[in-house]
Structures are given as structure tokens and as C-alpha cells.
Amino acid sequence: MTLVLLLNAAATWFMTGVIWFVQLVHYPQFAGVGRDGFGDYHRRHTRLTTWVVLPPMIVEAATAAWLVARPPAGAAAALLWAGLALVAVIWLSTFLLQVPRHNQLARGFDDTACARLCRTNWIRTAAWTARAFLMFVVLAR
């Protein structure tokens, strides 16, 4: 088992836990912050959350690409490619769907933007959950 494979699995499993917490607890709590200070709250949230999620997302993406380019012995190429495709889904969803909603919310609370953020975040939640399962399968082989 390679270090790259273990790093990929660790980053994926970490982010799977984070995304489920965000989906079920954190994003739904936005509505309870209050309109008056929401813009400042959200800007701090975005800045601080970036420090938690960006490093493992980068590790996950880099190691997923590495695994496709240099698959470990016994690893099914189709599973590694599927994992990389899920990383692409996660990053595309983040920058095309969630970031624009966060940009709206940084200007102040907006019911529609918050609802869309919660709804579209299910894409990332599903993709990371699928990756977590996929990594179990890859490691089990």
C-alpha cells in the first residue's frame, strides 16, 4: 500500500466527515445567526473554513491525479479514474454552485441563497460519500 493511496483515503474520509457536518448542522444554522451581523459572520466563516478544507481538498485532488498517473499494484484503474472524476465533480460544484451562493451570503443573509446553498451542497455530500466508499473498496483490494 502506498503512502499516496493512504493520503488520498485520509483526505477523502476527513472531507466526508466535514461535508456531512456542514450539510446537516452548519449550513442549516445560517438562518439562526440573525440578519444584522450575518454578513460579518459569514465572511469570518468563509475565511476560517477555508483553512480547514482547502489543504485536504488539495491533497485529495493531487493524490487522486497521482494515483491515476501511477496506479499502485493491484489497484483497479477504473476505480481510480472514478475517484478522480468524483474529485472533479466536487471542485466543479464548489466553484460553480457553492462559491456563488457564499458570495451572495457575504453581502447579507438571503433566504433563497441559503436554501440553494443547502440544496446544491448535496452534490458534494454525495460525491464525497461515494469517494469514501470507493476508497474502502480500493484499499480492500
Side-chain angles (χ1 to χ4, degrees):
M1 201 169 325
T2 70
L3 177 61
V4 174
L5 182 58
L6 292 175
L7 283 172
N8 186 258
T12 295
W13 294 332
F14 174 81
M15 286 307 302
T16 301
V18 168
I19 202 68
W20 274 101
F21 172 80
V22 166
Q23 184 65 34
L24 298 178
V25 177
H26 194 62
Y27 283 171
Q29 294 298 316
F30 279 8
V33 172
R35 291 187 183 277
D36 292 340
F38 185 83
D40 289 333
Y41 166 82
H42 186 269
R43 281 186 289 281
R44 282 191 313 276
H45 150 79
T46 302
R47 182 174 33 86
L48 295 171
T49 299
T50 299
W51 287 103
V52 173
V53 301
L54 190 58
M57 285 180 71
I58 291 170
V59 168
E60 181 185 41
T63 56
W66 180 275
L67 290 169
V68 165
R70 295 176 174 239
L79 295 177
L80 299 176
W81 276 102
L84 185 59
L86 287 166
V87 168
V89 167
I90 290 163
W91 280 77
L92 286 169
S93 179
T94 298
F95 287 100
L96 298 177
L97 299 172
Q98 285 77 50
V99 167
R101 299 301 78 74
H102 278 292
N103 289 341
Q104 285 178 287
L105 290 167
R107 295 187 294 271
F109 186 77
D110 178 305
D111 289 319
T112 303
C114 191
R116 285 185 180 154
L117 176 63
C118 290
R119 192 171 51 251
T120 62
N121 196 56
W122 280 110
I123 296 166
R124 296 190 303 181
T125 304
W128 260 310
T129 301
R131 271 197 54 78
F133 176 75
L134 190 74
M135 292 314 299
F136 278 119
V137 172
V138 169
L139 288 171
R141 291 179 161 224

